[in-house]
């Protein structure tokens, strides 16, 4: 069985720009091959060195000639053809013995890379894969901080070995251009830019991404200091001035999005909610909920206490009226015992009539607890809050009794707190007037969070002392079932 050949791009010079796949293949290879000049130094190998094991076979492919020194009857090209044929034969011997061979290539293997000459000779005969790398062109554009092309512009890539007239002709009409292979061609290339009337717009980059990186206007570069690993850039004419003032907040662009964070954690955050949070200029919310949104120094954060919903809503609407894009964060779904109603109530006032408000739904705590338990909400159900802060207890009691008499599954929010201990025992007693003591009860605490627990008990055995504000209760109906495996579900059909 033959080995496998990989042409691996290692990028422009920075070892951290080597792709994950390239690093893995370099570390796994039996044989690592790389080109070098006669001085023996190899940029590709130096980039790949952090990923070498140290016990691999290394094949150094040393170029035998330069353009000035060759006694080959076929001239420079003939000498190179013979060199590549010899290199291919050396690597083929490893492949025939079943070894995996990685050929390192600066930049990208098939972008002016030496690897392509081996690829042509070996790929038809052995399993081969080419792993692309970051090109010198991409690295140079990044180093210069200049966009190459925008919209319908075209990019022209030219070798510096073209004649001066050919270079000038193509540069004259190019939207954007890159001229590679400088070194000894630099004087000719610079003159071509000048002849094309583009010298003032051109940039020079050498050894992009390396510790010796240099960026300068092309017109200011001394030809005696130009290495081969450099290029000239003519960047996008649409790039405009880099001294433009920062963008101002557009007038009238403000608005409020009331965003449901779900019960806990990013996995339960919807893509729409993520987008609303990412695009906001200001975040408003109860402190612990606001802490669940990763900090972004671009955004202003406005934290407040738990019992100032109206003030929080007014603050958010005032920010939006002044042009801010505000995300009001809410746990679970903002429309279920949360901030959406508070914001819309204040937004109904005349002073905020022109402020748009969007409600971005989230996964509710009831849904999260139900999913952890099985499917207790599989039939008709009712959602109630036991908090009597905004409604009197006698209203809660009547609704509990009505839901129990109607044989609805109940999801109970805000079941207990340090200052509200009497509601849950009273609610349990009201429910027992209509439900069997064996009615299944699910207690979900901190579902999705680090202290998550889900307990299945019965209405008769429900211990209110085990319940706090971080809990949500689901009280089953007469048909709710608990399987032998502890899964709770309510059948879709009713007797």
């Amino acid at each position: 069985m033959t080995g496998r050949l990989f042409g691996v791009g290692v990028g422009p010079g920075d070892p951290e720009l080597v792709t994950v796949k390239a690093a893995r293949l370099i570390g796994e290879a039996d044989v690592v091959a790389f080109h070098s000049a006669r001085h023996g130094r190899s940029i590709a190998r130096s980039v790949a060195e952090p990923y070498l094991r140290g016990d691999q076979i290394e094949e150094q492919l040393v170029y035998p000639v330069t353009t000035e020194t060759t006694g080959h009857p076929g001239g420079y090209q003939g000498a190179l053809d013979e060199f590549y044929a010899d290199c291919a034969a050396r690597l083929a011997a490893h492949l025939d013995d079943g070894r995996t061979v990685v050929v390192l290539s600066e930049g990208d293997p098939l972008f002016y890379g030496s690897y392509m000459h081996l690829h042509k000779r070996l790929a038809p005969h052995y399993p081969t894969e080419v792993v692309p790398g970051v090109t010198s062109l991409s690295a140079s554009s990044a180093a210069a901080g200049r966009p190459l092309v925008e919209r319908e512009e075209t990019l022209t890539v030219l070798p510096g070995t073209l004649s001066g007239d050919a270079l000038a002709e193509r540069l004259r009409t190019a939207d954007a251009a890159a001229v590679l292979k400088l070194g000894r061609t630099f004087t000719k290339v610079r003159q071509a830019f000048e002849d094309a009337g583009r010298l003032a717009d051109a940039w020079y980059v050498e050894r992009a991404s390396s510790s010796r990186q240099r960026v300068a206007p092309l017109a200011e570069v001394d030809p005696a200091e130009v290495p081969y690993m450099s290029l000239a850039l003519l960047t996008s004419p649409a790039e405009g001035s880099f001294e433009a003032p920062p963008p101002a907040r557009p007038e009238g662009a403000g608005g409020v999005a009331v965003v449901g964070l779900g019960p806990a954690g990013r996995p339960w955050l919807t893509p729409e909610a993520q987008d609303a949070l990412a695009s906001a200029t200001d975040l408003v919310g109860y402190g612990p909920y606001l802490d669940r949104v990763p900090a972004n120094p671009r955004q202003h954060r406005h934290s407040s206490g738990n019992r100032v919903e109206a003030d929080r809503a007014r603050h958010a609407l005032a920010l939006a009226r002044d042009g801010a894009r505000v995300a009001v964060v809410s746990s679970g779904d903002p429309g279920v015992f949360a901030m959406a109603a508070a914001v819309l109530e204040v937004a109904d006032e005349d002073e905020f009539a022109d402020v748009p408000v969007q409600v971005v739904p989230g996964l509710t705590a009831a849904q999260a607890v139900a999913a952890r338990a099985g499917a207790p909400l599989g039939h008709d159900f009712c959602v109630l809050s036991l908090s009597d802060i905004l409604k009197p207890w006698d209203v809660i009691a009547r609704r509990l009794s009505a839901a129990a008499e109607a044989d609805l599954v109940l999801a109970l929010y805000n079941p207990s707190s340090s200052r509200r201990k009497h509601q849950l025992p009273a609610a349990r007693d009201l429910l027992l007037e209509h439900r069997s003591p064996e009615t299944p009860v699910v207690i979900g605490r901190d579902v999705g969070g680090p202290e998550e627990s889900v307990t299945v008990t019965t209405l008769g055995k429900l211990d209110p002392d085990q319940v706090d504000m971080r809990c949500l209760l689901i009280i089953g109906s007469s048909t709710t079932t608990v399987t032998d495996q502890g899964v709770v579900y309510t059948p879709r059909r009713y007797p």
Side-chain angles (χ1 to χ4, degrees):
M1 183 176 179
T2 64
R4 188 174 182 86
L5 173 68
F6 293 92
V8 175
V10 296
D14 183 351
E16 291 186 338
L17 291 180
V18 173
T19 66
V20 173
K21 183 170 186 177
R24 175 178 62 80
L25 291 173
I26 292 168
E28 294 174 352
D30 301 313
V31 180
V32 177
F34 51 90
H35 292 85
S36 76
R38 284 176 294 179
H39 51 56
R41 296 186 299 275
S42 169
I43 294 175
R45 189 196 180 285
S46 67
V47 175
E49 187 168 11
Y51 310 105
L52 296 171
R53 293 199 310 268
D55 61 349
Q56 294 153 300
I57 300 167
E58 295 192 16
E59 288 283 358
Q60 185 169 359
L61 312 177
V62 181
Y63 292 111
V65 295
T66 67
T67 54
E68 288 86 9
T69 59
T70 175
H72 196 281
Y76 176 67
Q77 189 57 53
L80 279 182
D81 289 341
E82 187 175 289
F83 164 68
Y84 287 124
D86 177 68
C87 292
R90 289 164 58 185
L91 300 184
H94 291 296
L95 294 167
D96 289 338
D97 284 344
R99 300 186 184 98
T100 299
V101 177
V102 162
V103 179
L104 305 177
S105 178
E106 299 156 24
D108 182 273
L110 299 182
F111 185 75
Y112 291 113
S114 296
Y115 164 77
M116 67 182 67
H117 302 290
L118 301 175
H119 184 83
K120 295 172 186 176
R121 291 167 169 82
L122 294 171
H125 310 291
Y126 300 96
T128 301
E129 181 179 348
V130 178
V131 180
V134 178
T135 67
S136 60
L137 178 55
S138 298
S140 296
S141 172
R146 322 292 292 194
L148 284 173
V149 280
E150 301 180 36
R151 299 188 289 272
E152 289 78 34
E153 297 169 353
T154 58
L155 172 65
T156 302
V157 181
L158 302 167
T161 51
L162 288 176
S163 69
D165 290 342
L167 286 169
E169 180 181 354
R170 299 190 189 190
L171 290 170
R172 199 171 286 118
T173 58
D175 291 328
V179 182
L180 285 64
K181 303 178 182 292
L182 294 187
R184 69 190 65 195
T185 71
F186 178 81
T187 301
K188 174 185 63 178
V189 170
R190 174 177 166 167
Q191 186 62 49
F193 272 92
E194 187 169 0
D195 293 344
R198 313 296 294 272
L199 183 59
D201 300 322
W203 287 85
Y204 167 85
V205 183
E206 72 178 49
R207 299 186 175 95
S209 83
S210 76
S211 60
R212 295 188 291 167
Q213 173 181 292
R214 177 189 174 204
V215 180
L218 187 66
E220 299 177 7
V221 175
D222 182 352
E225 300 175 350
V226 176
Y228 179 77
M229 300 298 291
S230 59
L231 57 79
L233 284 178
L234 185 64
T235 54
S236 167
E239 64 179 294
S241 171
F242 275 74
E243 298 179 359
R249 178 181 286 167
E251 292 186 12
V256 173
V258 193
V259 180
L261 300 178
R266 186 178 180 88
W268 287 351
L269 189 67
T270 69
E272 183 183 17
Q274 292 181 44
D275 181 63
L277 294 173
S279 61
T281 60
D282 294 75
L283 302 176
V284 173
Y286 173 45
Y289 298 156
L290 204 58
D291 291 342
R292 286 168 49 186
V293 182
N296 185 332
R298 172 183 60 81
Q299 297 173 321
H300 303 284
R301 301 166 76 92
H302 310 270
S303 178
S304 56
N306 193 28
R307 296 192 177 185
V308 291
E309 287 90 348
D311 292 341
R312 189 182 307 142
R314 187 174 300 281
H315 184 205
L317 290 161
L319 289 170
R321 183 184 56 198
D322 293 338
R325 294 189 300 277
V326 183
V328 178
V329 299
S330 185
S331 183
D333 182 282
V336 179
F337 303 125
M339 279 301 299
V343 172
L344 291 172
E345 186 176 353
V346 178
D348 196 36
E349 298 176 7
D350 290 342
E351 64 177 304
F352 300 120
D354 295 330
V355 178
V357 177
Q358 173 192 11
V359 178
V360 180
L363 183 68
T364 68
Q367 291 170 308
V369 172
R372 288 290 197 253
L377 306 181
H379 195 68
D380 297 343
F381 65 94
C382 175
V383 177
L384 287 171
S385 169
L386 294 189
S387 172
D388 59 357
I389 295 175
L390 299 177
K391 62 181 182 291
W393 171 252
D394 62 336
V395 172
I396 299 172
R398 288 200 307 272
R399 292 174 178 175
L400 280 168
S401 296
E405 186 176 1
D407 200 20
L408 295 171
V409 175
L410 286 92
L412 300 182
Y413 281 70
N414 307 313
S416 181
S417 73
S418 59
R419 289 181 291 183
R420 290 189 298 103
K421 291 294 187 180
H422 70 281
Q423 286 98 330
L424 185 55
R428 178 195 57 194
D429 294 343
L430 284 170
L431 294 172
L432 282 169
E433 294 177 9
H434 304 277
R435 300 281 170 89
S436 163
E438 300 305 313
T439 300
V441 175
V442 178
I443 305 172
R445 187 177 191 279
D446 191 34
V447 170
E451 300 179 12
E452 174 180 313
S453 66
V454 177
T455 304
V456 178
T457 184
T458 64
L459 190 57
K461 295 179 179 179
L462 175 60
D463 182 2
D465 290 336
Q466 302 302 310
V467 178
D468 59 26
M469 276 294 287
R470 302 184 69 186
C471 295
L472 180 135
L473 272 61
I474 297 179
I475 314 295
S477 70
S478 63
T479 64
T480 302
T481 301
V482 182
T483 71
D484 292 341
Q485 292 75 34
V487 176
V488 184
Y489 71 93
T490 302
R492 293 175 299 159
R493 293 180 176 83
Y494 194 79

